[in-house]
Amino acid sequence: MYHNKRNDAFRYNLNTPIVCYFEVTNINGNSTSSTPVKATLMDISNSGCKIVTPLNLNAASNKLQIILHVQLQEELLKLNGSIRWQLQSTNALYHYGVKFMMNESERRHLIAGLRTLTALRKITVN
C-alpha cells in the first residue's frame, strides 16, 4: 500500500555532520540538570533530528526530555525535544531520534535557518 508522505517533514541531511551538545532536563517526569554532552547532529527537520553520541541513555526504559544546543551558521539554537528512539551501532555509538517540542514561532525560525543552509549547499533535502 502506498503511504503519502505529503504531511511528513522534509529531512535535511548534513553534508558534514555538525558537533552539537545536549542537556537532559527531565527523566521520567522528574526535572533534572546535567552538564552538556557532546553529540553529532546527523540530520534535521522542522520536527526533529537524529544525533549520535557514545552515551547510553537507556531511552527504551526512560522517558527523556532534552535541550539540544546546535550552531546553524552564526546562530546558536536551543531546541527542546524528547528522545523517541535509540539504536546502538557496532562502533559503541548510540543513535537517538529527537522529536522537537516548540511553538510555531520557533519552528518558523528553525525552517528559515534550514533554508539558508540549503541555499549554501551545507545540507541537502532527503
Side-chain angles (χ1 to χ4, degrees):
M1 181 176 191
Y2 174 74
H3 172 62
N4 183 342
K5 293 187 172 188
R6 188 171 301 169
N7 293 325
D8 292 353
F10 286 109
R11 179 71 49 189
Y12 296 90
N13 290 315
L14 288 92
N15 296 333
T16 303
I18 296 174
V19 172
C20 61
Y21 295 87
F22 69 92
E23 301 171 57
V24 178
T25 58
N26 193 297
I27 301 173
N28 299 323
N30 299 311
S31 294
T32 186
S33 62
S34 72
T35 58
V37 176
K38 186 176 181 180
T40 303
L41 181 68
M42 302 304 289
D43 66 36
I44 189 167
S45 73
N46 65 351
S47 63
C49 68
K50 178 168 65 172
I51 59 173
V52 177
T53 181
L55 183 64
N56 182 358
L57 297 173
N58 296 312
S61 56
N62 292 301
K63 186 175 179 183
L64 303 162
Q65 292 181 354
I66 66 167
I67 296 175
L68 181 71
H69 304 265
V70 61
Q71 185 93 28
L72 295 181
Q73 288 302 95
E74 296 84 34
E75 187 172 11
L76 176 65
L77 298 178
K78 293 182 180 181
L79 305 168
N80 292 306
S82 61
I83 303 290
R84 305 298 284 186
W85 54 264
Q86 172 182 337
L87 295 172
Q88 183 177 4
S89 63
T90 56
N91 55 358
L93 291 174
Y94 296 89
H95 297 246
Y96 295 100
V98 178
K99 179 170 178 57
F100 295 142
M101 301 179 300
M102 59 178 74
N103 63 38
E104 194 56 37
S105 173
E106 293 168 325
R107 189 173 313 282
R108 281 194 305 270
H109 189 71
L110 174 61
I111 291 170
L114 295 174
R115 287 184 180 151
T116 299
L117 291 176
T118 302
L120 295 171
R121 298 183 187 265
K122 294 192 176 195
I123 58 177
T124 56
V125 179
N126 193 16

